[in-house]
Amino acid sequence: MNTPRAYQDAIRDLEAFYDIASEHLRQEYAQPVSKYREPQEWLEGLDITLGDHGMKHDDMIGALREIIAATPKTSTTRFFNQLFGGRQSKAMLGDLIAVLLNSSMYTYKAGGPQILIEQEILSQVRNLLGWDENSSGTLAAGGSMTNLMGMQMARDRAQPAARTTGLSGKVIAYTSAECHYSIQKNAAILGIGREQVRLIPTDQTGGLRPDLLKQSIERDLRDGHRPFMVNATAGTTVLGAFDPIEQIAEICEKYDLWLHVDGAYCGSVIFSEKYKHLIQGVERADSFTLNAHKMLGTPLSCSLILVQEKRHMYHSYSTDASYLFQTHEDELNPGKISLQCGRRNDALKLWCLWKSIGTAGLGSLVNHQFHLADVAREYIRTHEDYQLYSHDDSVGICFNYLDIPAEKLCNGLYQASEMMVGYGQFRDDVFIRLVTINASNTEEDIHEFFRVLEAFAQKHVLHSAI
Ligand code: ABU
């Protein structure tokens, strides 16, 4: 039987994928950091330019292989640069299948059981948060976007007419000075304005100070402004600090403010019996964001937003579209409560991982990251050439080595293709930020991190600087 051309092409390309993927995985072990080149060198050395005419399959695959080899490797034992890393292979499998199925998650008609999978994830997370069946949620393209949704629902609760006639007057949001930068960007997008975001100072550990939050709210009320929400961060981007949610919830209830918890980075502590106390009080929040592509190690991106009362999602997002919503009730058509129209299936990768290792397995991933952080902190504390800036219960280990400027060491390691690690700042201190979020790493990988860093510093920085 002659099979259609599209089928033959798909099989040939999937076979190429398997070859490319196998080679890539081998390369991750052989050379865990890709060669650093300036952009111009890659533009000249790789076949990136698009033209009028196509390429033969083998030539095209050859060009692709070279580009893949040149791309930074984010899943290896030498990548500590951002708030993700490693590879959970069952989650990868789920994401590859999501690409194969190419569902769009707006209707049951287009997504079928994939919609039920997404709902199962959301209802399990809801249970972990201690919320009831009145809650709802969805997935969106990343933490900035799910934070945006939390902020929009907060705005629309404070000003229900914002949805129809637009925002009237100024409304004020509160967050810590260490919050994710999406909070200010979102305030601009939502017409609230960046100047209406109050950045509340933190304590020494990087957590928001509730006493100063209260003072700021009262000052705004005295000045005739309208406070509407507080964002509490569960895992600040630099120090990995947790805001005191219980105390912030108290204040939100007193002043009738929406409480959004940005757990994009470390909200996954809800899966850990040992660490869930770090977000104690989350059951009192109005909305909650969690990125499974961070602590749970799914491929990018897998960002959840949950809201305690589903009516807020419908109020902010529900819009009729007779060309789209043609079968089933609203609950089965998540496009009704989404910021997006077409939406990729980010649920399947998390479902595959969760199904394969269970809730206890997700908790173990989280626990292991904190364990690796303890190993790193212990190393720093017991080696006098280091200065530690971060505190316990954080997977962001901030430190300096021998007074070498963090930027110099991090950029040097990157340009020498030795290791990927970044730097951050808290108040006046600038330091290296080692993120122990790759749950595939071992204690030995963390010790190797310090060995690589010290050897590089001794060879390339100290001797050239002296
Ligand atoms: N939300 C991503 C933050 C990026 C970083 O600090 O590495």
Side-chain angles (χ1 to χ4, degrees):
M1 186 183 78
N2 281 340
T3 48
R5 177 67 192 269
Y7 173 84
Q8 292 170 25
D9 285 352
I11 293 292
R12 184 174 64 163
D13 288 339
L14 284 173
E15 283 169 359
F17 172 78
Y18 185 80
D19 286 349
I20 289 169
S22 306
E23 172 61 17
H24 182 69
L25 293 178
R26 271 194 297 277
Q27 277 300 318
E28 283 186 341
Y29 286 101
Q31 193 191 350
V33 187
S34 305
K35 284 258 174 300
Y36 173 78
R37 295 277 183 274
E38 288 293 328
Q40 192 55 37
E41 290 179 79
W42 283 139
L43 285 171
E44 287 162 11
L46 297 172
D47 189 359
I48 289 176
T49 315
L50 296 169
D52 287 342
H53 301 290
M55 243 179 158
K56 287 199 181 103
H57 172 82
D58 288 349
D59 294 341
M60 194 266 172
I61 296 296
L64 193 54
R65 280 182 188 278
E66 289 182 14
I67 292 167
I68 290 166
T71 300
K73 297 190 177 90
T74 61
S75 301
T76 72
T77 54
R78 296 282 181 97
F79 183 83
F80 299 94
N81 203 62
Q82 250 82 52
L83 312 182
F84 71 96
R87 176 181 293 113
Q88 294 297 326
S89 66
K90 283 289 188 296
M92 176 186 71
L93 174 66
D95 211 15
L96 293 171
I97 292 171
V99 170
L100 185 69
L101 295 174
N102 203 28
S103 315
S104 188
M105 301 294 275
Y106 34 43
T107 60
Y108 180 79
K109 191 178 180 187
Q114 301 299 324
I115 303 294
L116 307 180
I117 276 175
E118 184 172 271
Q119 290 183 346
E120 171 65 5
I121 288 170
L122 291 164
S123 78
Q124 291 286 342
V125 172
R126 173 194 81 199
N127 293 343
L128 292 168
L129 290 170
W131 295 358
D132 64 24
E133 287 177 359
N134 200 27
S135 73
S136 184
T138 189
L139 279 75
S144 294
M145 198 182 272
T146 45
N147 280 339
L148 175 73
M149 295 181 78
M151 290 177 74
Q152 182 177 351
M153 288 185 279
R155 183 201 71 175
D156 294 350
R157 188 193 73 142
Q159 283 203 13
R163 178 185 196 275
T164 43
T165 53
L167 195 60
S168 77
K170 289 181 179 174
V171 291
I172 313 289
Y174 303 82
T175 186
S176 93
E178 295 297 309
C179 72
H180 189 247
Y181 70 153
S182 61
I183 304 301
Q184 292 100 316
K185 284 198 287 184
N186 291 341
I189 294 167
L190 293 168
I192 291 160
R194 290 174 187 238
E195 286 180 10
Q196 274 61 254
V197 178
R198 303 278 183 262
L199 297 177
I200 307 300
T202 62
D203 62 18
Q204 276 304 111
T205 68
L208 179 146
R209 279 187 51 186
D211 56 329
L212 299 183
L213 170 64
K214 198 156 173 268
Q215 280 177 23
S216 184
I217 293 167
E218 286 183 351
R219 192 177 316 116
D220 280 324
L221 287 170
R222 276 196 306 277
D223 292 346
H225 299 317
R226 283 179 290 170
F228 79 105
M229 74 165 288
V230 179
N231 171 63
T233 309
T236 60
T237 50
V238 176
L239 288 180
F242 290 80
D243 287 345
I245 297 175
E246 197 86 78
Q247 292 173 65
I248 294 172
E250 206 74 52
I251 294 170
C252 287
E253 284 160 17
K254 178 173 160 78
Y255 295 98
D256 192 24
L257 307 181
W258 181 284
L259 172 56
H260 175 70
V261 174
D262 171 9
Y265 182 11
C266 295
S268 292
V269 294
I270 55 166
F271 295 101
S272 162
E273 285 302 317
K274 190 168 175 194
Y275 290 101
K276 68 181 183 192
H277 69 91
L278 294 171
I279 54 167
Q280 197 175 323
V282 74
E283 65 284 355
R284 297 162 76 176
D286 295 285
S287 54
F288 174 75
T289 286
L290 179 160
N291 282 359
H293 62 263
K294 291 194 160 85
M295 287 192 116
L296 301 185
T298 71
L300 285 149
S301 61
C302 187
S303 186
L304 284 63
I305 171 83
L306 286 100
V307 60
Q308 176 122 220
E309 288 183 50
K310 65 174 85 166
R311 66 189 168 93
H312 294 296
M313 282 199 111
Y314 284 96
H315 174 72
S316 288
Y317 299 107
S318 185
T319 307
D320 286 333
S322 57
Y323 47 80
L324 181 62
F325 303 115
Q326 298 181 341
T327 64
H328 301 90
E329 67 271 30
D330 283 356
E331 291 270 324
L332 282 166
N333 290 325
K336 284 266 172 171
I337 51 169
S338 175
L339 196 59
Q340 296 156 259
C341 178
R343 183 164 63 90
R344 83 184 300 281
N345 179 4
D346 286 327
L348 186 59
K349 54 193 157 195
L350 176 54
W351 183 87
C352 284
L353 176 66
W354 200 333
K355 188 80 174 162
S356 70
I357 64 174
T359 311
L362 298 181
S364 299
L365 296 180
V366 171
N367 292 348
H368 185 60
Q369 291 160 39
F370 281 101
H371 171 67
L372 294 178
D374 288 341
V375 169
R377 264 189 298 269
E378 179 62 12
Y379 184 91
I380 292 167
R381 284 189 177 122
T382 53
H383 287 74
E384 60 183 17
D385 294 339
Y386 287 86
Q387 183 172 4
L388 181 66
Y389 298 88
S390 43
H391 299 266
D392 290 349
D393 289 340
S394 154
V395 293
I397 315 301
C398 301
F399 67 93
N400 276 321
Y401 177 61
L402 284 176
D403 292 330
I404 301 171
E407 180 180 351
K408 188 170 183 178
L409 205 38
C410 292
N411 291 351
L413 284 160
Y414 166 51
Q415 285 164 4
S417 312
E418 291 271 353
M419 198 149 68
M420 300 275 283
V421 64
Y423 52 92
Q425 180 166 3
F426 180 61
R427 299 185 180 162
D428 294 332
D429 295 313
V430 179
F431 36 62
I432 297 174
R433 182 189 64 171
L434 159 64
V435 185
T436 60
I437 205 160
N438 177 353
S440 307
N441 274 345
T442 62
E443 291 185 21
E444 174 53 23
D445 293 323
I446 300 301
H447 287 131
E448 179 66 9
F449 168 89
F450 290 109
R451 271 198 293 276
V452 171
L453 180 134
E454 288 165 20
F456 180 83
Q458 296 293 339
K459 188 166 170 197
H460 298 286
V461 183
L462 289 174
H463 293 134
S464 66
I466 289 167

